[in-house]
Structures are given as C-alpha cells and as structure tokens.
Amino acid sequence: MRLSDRITGGFLVVLGSVTAYAGSLLPPVPGQQVGPNVFPLVCGSLIAICGLLIALGIGRTFEDEAEADFSAHVGVIESDLPQTRLYKLRVLIPPALLLFYVLAVDGLGFVPTAAVIAFVIAVTLGANLKLAIPVALLSPVGVHLIFYKLLRVPLPDGLLPMPW
Amino acid sequence: MAVYLEAFRMVMAPDVIIAILLSSIYGLVVGSLPGLSATMATALLVPVTFYLSPIAAIATIISASAMAIFSGDIPGALLRIPGTPASAAYTDEAYAMTRKGQAELALGAGLWFSALGGIAGTLSLIVLAPPLAEIALSFSTFEYFWLALLGLMCATLVARSSPVKAIASMLLGLLITCVGMENPGGIARFTFGFTDLLGGIEVIPALVGVFAVSEVMRAMISTDPPKMPKRKYDSIMAGQWMLTRKDWRQMTRGNFVGIIIGVLPGAGADMAAWVSYAMSKRFSKEPEKFGTGHPEGLVEAGASNNASLASGWVPALLFGVPGDTITAIAIGVLYMKGLNPGPTLFTEKASSMYALYIVFIIANIIMIPLGIIMIRIAATVLRAPRSAILPVIVLCCAVGSFATGNSLFAVLTVAAFGIIGYVMEANGYPVAAMVLGIVMGTMVEQSFVTSLIKSDGSILPFFERPVSSVLAALTIGALAWPILFWAWRKFQATPASAKA
C-alpha cells in the first residue's frame, strides 16, 4: 500500500480543511470566546498545512536517509512470493476477520467464532491442516479459559458453551 | 521508614510476585519473536491489568517491557533479525560476533548490560523524580500546555522519518482525541450521530490496533523468518565481568545517554540504542573494528536501551507526558488504577512510588537468571511457527479490546486502527507520533483551552511566566530545528557544488 506523497498529502489537506471548518461551527462555552471549537480548528488547519508541504515533497530527504540507514543495518528479508495486486489484498484479512468477529460472536458464540478466525489466519500464513486444525481447536479454548474464567470477561456462549 | 516497609509489603504480596514472574516470561517470549515488539507486548497486556491490583498491574508492564527489550537481542545475535526495533542498531554487530564463534559473549553482553542499564535507569528515576516533582508543583495550565507540546515535538524530532510527516501524524492523533463529549463544552463533537463515539475513541483499542493488528497485517505478505539453528552454549555470563572492567566507560556513557533520551518525552529505547551505538563508534579508539564483531558498541547500546526504559517513567509519572510508547500505554494503566500521574503522586501515594522502584530493581535482577534460561531454550521457542502464534495474537486483540468496555465497538476500533497503522507505516508516517498524540490530546486541549479562557483569548500570557517562556522557547526550537538543519546543509552543499 505505498501511495505517492501527493495522494497522502492531498488527503491530509482535505481532512484538515474539513475538520477545521466543522470545528469552527461548534458553539463556544457559554459566556466565553473559546470552547470545543478552538482545538479542532487549530489541529485541522495545521494538518492541512502539513498535507500541503508533504504533497510538495518537503522533508523527503530526511526520509530517504533514514531508510538507507535502516536497510544498511538490518538485512531486509526479500519475499520470493508473487507480489501481485491481488496478493497484497491479503493484508486486509486480519481486519476483515475482526469485523466477522463483531458480526458473528453474539450468534455463534465465542469459541466457534474464534476457531474460524484462528483457522483462517493459520492457513493464510501457510500452515498445513496438521497444524491449522489443532491451532483452531485449542487456541479459542485457551483464550476463553483465561479471559472468561480467570479475568471474568463476559464472552458470549452462543452455540457452544464451555463447561467452566 | 514506614513508607518503605509499606512499599516492600506491597511488592511482596503473592499476586504481585506471580504477576512479575509470569509477565517476565511473557515479555521474554514475545520480545524474542521477530516482528512482535516490546510495545505490542505491553499493549496486549493492558486488558489483563484491569483485573489486577494497582501495583501488580504496573509490575506486569514494567517487567514485561524490560524483558522484551532484552530478549529482542536474542534473534538479533542468532539470526540477524532484531526481535524488537530497540535491538536493530546493533544487530549486525551481534551477528558478526556469533559468526566469529562468540555467541555466548554477544548474548551475555546483551543480558548483563541490559540488566545493569535497567538498574542505572531506575536509580535515575529515584534521584530525578522528587526534585522535579517539587518544581512541577508550581506549574499552571500554561506550563502544562507547553510541556505537553514539547513532548509531542520531541516525538516528531526523533522519528526516523520526514519531520513534516511526523508532525502530521502527531496532529492526526490530536484530532482523534477530538471525537466525543469529553471537551471543554461537553458537547458531542465529530460523533456523526453514533452513540458509541460519544465517549470518544478508546486509547487501548487504538493502541492494540496500531501496534498488534497492523503487525499481523504485515506478516500476511512477508515470508517466515529462517529457523534458528539448535546449538550448545558454554557459560553465558563468563567473560562479562572482564568486559565490564574493560568497557566500563562505554557502559556508563550508554547509561547516561539512555537516561537522557528516556527522560526526553517521546524518544524511547530504539532511539537510545541508535544514538549510543553511533556515539560508541565515534569515540572509540578502534572504530575500524565496529561491524566486525566488536563488543564495545554492543555494551554501550545494550546499556543504553534498557536505561531509557526506566527513565522514560520520569515524565510519565510527574506530568503525564509519556517518555516513549511503552510509558504512553503505562499512563493509561496508571489512570485506570487511580494513580493519576502528577507531582502529588509522590506525596499522596508515596508508598506506591517506592513499590514501583522496587519492582524495577527486582525485574532487572531476575532478568539475569530468566534471561540465561531463555537464551538456552531460544532455539526451541523460536521454532514455533508464525502460523501458530499469530492466530492467538489476533484472538487476544479481539478479546482484549472487548474487555476494555465489554463493547463490540472496541473490536471495530481495533480493526480500523490496524488499517490506519498499516497504511501510515507503509507510507512513512511514524505511528508512534500518532499514538503520543492520542494519549496526550485531551491534556493538550484542556490546558490550552483553560489557559485561553484564563487569559481572555490572548496568547501573550502563554509566554509571560518564566518557566512557561523557557518551555515555549524549547518547543519552538524543536519545531525550527529541522528547518535550520536543512537550510544549513543546503548552504554547505551550494558552495561545494559551485566550486566543482
């Protein structure tokens, strides 16, 4: 997800301007000139300025130096896997699974939902079934035992209540 | 005296001792796994600390972070992959020593000087905190405003990235704290009608997302690190005493630099290690040996990164201004446990403060035996494949953030911040700066708006009080520094190119 500085800078300009404007519309504390409006106004304007500078490429030299310095010290592991656009979408799997957790946990219950998540992550990271299935079966139960039993977090039982 | 005894009694409670031991083991394991940083280890611990007594909660954070910073050296020395960013500065050196057959010396030096550095950092905390608390008692909102701003500026200065991007990240963090009702007017701000946003964006889920989920996301498109070869070790601590006697100057310098960088708000262990390693090379009598497996830099940087860890607590405890990302998390825990940071902590909760010192010292002492065991079993522990560890991490992210308020909205926050953290990191925006913005936003806004109300909208009083004018000058200096540095280099480069 490497975007050009023009895109990220432009995004910050828009974000900053919108929040500064929206902030300035908020009412001040009654009887005072200032209130909840000031801080978003200041932050938003400064973000917009930073965005403009980034889009113009100012400060870029520092970044190149830091990168060169870092890769000189630490051997960067080059991936030999195909780095196509589709392949890179894999990074969205963890947040997607968290979204799945939010949607499914109340209906399915913690242990089945967690088992699905653990299984998918293990398989995407290249585990074979001999490893992925035990991970999917054991890790939800372990996490449930620690958080539900010891730390008393009210995890939903759903379809599969645990004996403790 | 009674206070000291009380502090000892607090630390010797069985739950605290168990908490220290378990979190030490946890810190050692997580720190030694490449890609899992000390900050991530700490962030994932926070939900667990909800259920512990105040001292046990702080103890888990202190011991887990200290152990993780040390054990990051292990894969650095054996695989040339730093376990945590704080070890990156001297990974090459340690690996070169291993190739020369001095793995024991390299790992032992990491352990021994980490422990000594941690103790030196603790001493600095004990010495520095009370007089600073005295000064801090006279601070008003003007000083707090500048102090918070100075902390944020330092964070952007030391980020190894473009200063403009670092400042933008920090401002994004401040903007995130604008969400919710906790503002001077008590009105719903930027909530877009969602009731879940009325309370603002929770810090802990945001941290877990930025530090843990985005790390798992990166793992999705990178390959497994190479397996650690099994090997037999001779005595690990042999030779350390000799090294201490030979390189005590480097060690002391490393400790001091680490302490100073730790106290500086925003700059943490990784920065301390980079600076100390560079300094060691600069002042060494044999700089040509650096990079070929020479222990000098290892001693200095290893002593430095652990020293910075303890001294990072100085601004955190006194002003609520985090010294690094780990203390940024710790501040959240302090608030949760009723130990609100501030100079009065030393008068009202003195025994808790002493207990904290004792925990630091204990953690750094037990680091040596536990570290030796960890080094010996490292090859086995690191054999655990990523595909077995990361599923557990993701589950802990989900459950841990849910536990912060028993709301599923927190899990969505984790996912969102995972994406934000990933995109920012990939584009050179330092996430640490954003995190400090999130942690300090409320304090910055409160002191800013209160000061403005006091001064009737004028900004002149921000510069009138003596301490606040000094802090203001430092802050503006920190802002101007990259510009001056850039201009100076431009100026140097122009005549040179003109001659050519």
Side-chain angles (χ1 to χ4, degrees):
Chain A
M1 258 297 267
R2 177 100 213 189
L3 304 163
S4 78
D5 280 356
R6 269 170 209 281
I7 296 175
T8 58
F11 171 76
L12 288 176
V13 171
V14 175
L15 178 77
S17 324
V18 170
T19 41
Y21 176 69
S24 69
L25 295 180
L26 294 166
V29 177
Q32 295 291 343
Q33 296 157 327
V34 290
N37 50 353
V38 183
F39 199 59
L41 184 65
V42 174
C43 285
S45 321
L46 291 175
I47 288 182
I49 296 172
C50 283
L52 194 66
L53 292 177
I54 292 166
L56 294 175
I58 291 169
R60 182 72 225 172
T61 44
F62 285 87
E63 220 173 318
D64 293 337
E65 262 170 43
E67 259 166 42
D69 200 19
F70 191 75
S71 46
H73 276 76
V74 183
V76 181
I77 318 165
E78 287 297 333
S79 169
D80 50 355
L81 295 165
Q83 294 276 0
T84 60
R85 205 169 270 260
L86 194 67
Y87 181 81
K88 283 190 177 158
L89 281 180
R90 286 164 59 116
V91 296
L92 289 176
I93 292 172
L97 287 173
L98 289 171
L99 187 65
F100 166 75
Y101 178 89
V102 172
L103 296 175
V105 74
D106 279 327
L108 287 178
F110 175 76
V111 175
T113 319
V116 173
I117 294 177
F119 183 77
V120 175
I121 300 254
V123 170
T124 16
L125 286 172
N128 51 18
L129 290 184
K130 229 168 83 189
L131 177 66
I133 290 173
V135 165
L137 291 181
L138 294 180
S139 62
V141 177
V143 170
H144 190 271
L145 184 65
I146 294 172
F147 280 88
Y148 186 83
K149 185 76 188 157
L150 291 178
L151 303 177
R152 310 212 174 270
V153 178
L155 298 171
D157 281 335
L159 304 175
L160 192 67
M162 286 286 116
W164 39 80
Chain B
M1 197 61 213
V3 190
Y4 292 101
L5 285 179
E6 172 66 12
F8 257 109
R9 195 191 56 78
M10 283 163 118
V11 177
M12 290 305 152
D15 64 324
V16 178
I17 298 289
I18 294 172
I20 293 179
L21 269 179
L22 289 181
S23 56
S24 299
I25 296 168
Y26 165 81
L28 283 170
V29 172
V30 177
S32 69
L33 294 167
L36 309 187
S37 65
T39 314
M40 174 179 176
T42 324
L44 284 176
L45 256 186
V46 174
V48 177
T49 62
F50 288 171
Y51 306 91
L52 301 175
S53 71
I55 297 300
I58 304 293
T60 51
I61 296 212
I62 292 174
S63 23
S65 58
M67 302 293 165
I69 294 286
F70 150 67
S71 77
D73 296 356
I74 300 176
L78 298 179
L79 293 174
R80 196 163 171 260
I81 301 169
T84 67
S87 309
Y90 47 89
T91 292
D92 268 353
E93 195 79 63
Y95 186 66
M97 285 177 73
T98 305
R99 299 229 339 231
K100 274 165 63 180
Q102 298 176 331
E104 291 85 3
L105 193 64
L107 287 166
L111 179 59
W112 175 242
F113 292 100
S114 285
L116 290 185
I119 290 174
T122 313
L123 292 180
S124 79
L125 175 64
I126 298 173
V127 173
L128 284 177
L132 279 175
E134 202 98 346
I135 302 173
L137 276 174
S138 62
F139 279 15
S140 75
T141 52
F142 295 107
E143 282 83 12
Y144 272 104
F145 169 72
W146 284 117
L147 200 65
L149 213 57
L150 181 62
L152 291 172
M153 286 315 303
C154 285
T156 61
L157 263 189
V158 301
R160 306 178 51 74
S161 165
S162 135
V164 190
K165 283 187 174 176
I167 292 174
S169 314
M170 178 269 278
L171 289 167
L172 270 180
L174 292 181
L175 201 60
I176 287 165
T177 62
C178 286
V179 176
M181 285 183 58
E182 212 173 296
N183 55 56
I187 56 164
R189 188 167 61 181
F190 302 145
T191 56
F192 308 101
F194 290 105
T195 40
D196 283 312
L197 283 177
L198 281 179
I201 289 172
E202 295 254 5
V203 178
I204 304 295
L207 289 173
V208 172
V210 165
F211 289 120
V213 176
S214 66
E215 206 60 68
V216 179
M217 289 170 72
R218 263 190 290 281
M220 287 284 155
I221 51 166
S222 59
T223 39
D224 260 330
K227 291 270 174 284
M228 180 102 67
K230 273 215 162 66
R231 57 185 302 152
K232 283 253 171 276
Y233 292 106
D234 295 334
S235 166
I236 287 163
M237 297 318 283
Q240 294 313 321
W241 183 239
M242 208 188 70
L243 207 57
T244 318
R245 288 225 322 238
K246 186 171 141 291
D247 287 345
W248 63 272
R249 273 196 201 83
Q250 283 80 349
M251 181 190 88
T252 322
R253 197 165 55 207
N255 285 340
F256 272 102
V257 169
I259 289 167
I260 293 168
I261 291 183
V263 171
L264 277 185
D270 28 350
M271 195 64 204
W274 284 103
V275 171
S276 282
Y277 185 77
M279 238 171 128
S280 180
K281 190 171 177 181
R282 173 80 184 66
F283 289 109
S284 173
K285 289 200 189 79
E286 351 171 68
E288 70 284 351
K289 283 194 184 166
F290 275 69
T292 60
H294 186 54
E296 221 179 300
L298 209 63
V299 169
E300 186 153 345
S304 172
N305 61 10
N306 274 65
S308 77
L309 210 55
S311 66
W313 285 71
V314 173
L317 290 169
L318 284 175
F319 313 113
V321 175
D324 56 13
T325 45
I326 292 171
T327 42
I329 300 168
I331 285 177
V333 176
L334 286 171
Y335 273 113
M336 225 160 48
K337 292 294 171 192
L339 294 168
N340 294 9
T344 50
L345 204 57
F346 290 83
T347 48
E348 285 165 11
K349 300 257 165 67
S351 51
S352 299
M353 282 304 99
Y354 294 130
L356 196 145
Y357 300 155
I358 298 170
V359 171
F360 255 115
I361 298 203
I362 293 181
N364 280 301
I365 292 173
I366 62 169
M367 180 191 278
I368 294 177
L370 288 178
I372 293 176
I373 299 173
M374 182 66 203
I375 292 172
R376 293 200 181 275
I377 61 169
T380 322
V381 171
L382 295 191
R383 230 153 242 277
R386 266 187 336 167
S387 49
I389 295 160
L390 293 185
V392 181
I393 300 266
V394 173
L395 292 184
C396 289
C397 290
V399 181
S401 55
F402 174 73
T404 55
N406 290 344
S407 102
L408 283 172
F409 186 73
V411 184
L412 284 182
T413 313
V414 170
F417 274 87
I419 299 176
I420 294 176
Y422 178 81
V423 173
M424 283 177 66
E425 196 74 51
N427 289 293
Y429 290 83
V431 289
M434 179 180 76
V435 165
L436 291 178
I438 298 177
V439 171
M440 293 171 57
T442 314
M443 176 182 166
V444 175
E445 172 166 23
Q446 248 172 23
S447 53
F448 181 51
V449 174
T450 319
S451 304
L452 269 183
I453 290 176
K454 277 201 260 183
S455 69
D456 237 350
S458 148
I459 56 165
L460 210 60
F462 279 86
F463 303 94
E464 275 174 348
R465 294 167 57 98
V467 179
S468 84
S469 59
V470 171
L471 290 170
L474 286 174
T475 312
I476 294 167
L479 184 63
W481 165 247
I483 304 170
L484 291 176
F485 184 69
W486 177 78
W488 181 70
R489 270 210 314 208
K490 262 264 148 55
F491 174 76
Q492 280 222 322
T494 330
S497 57
K499 262 181 235 160

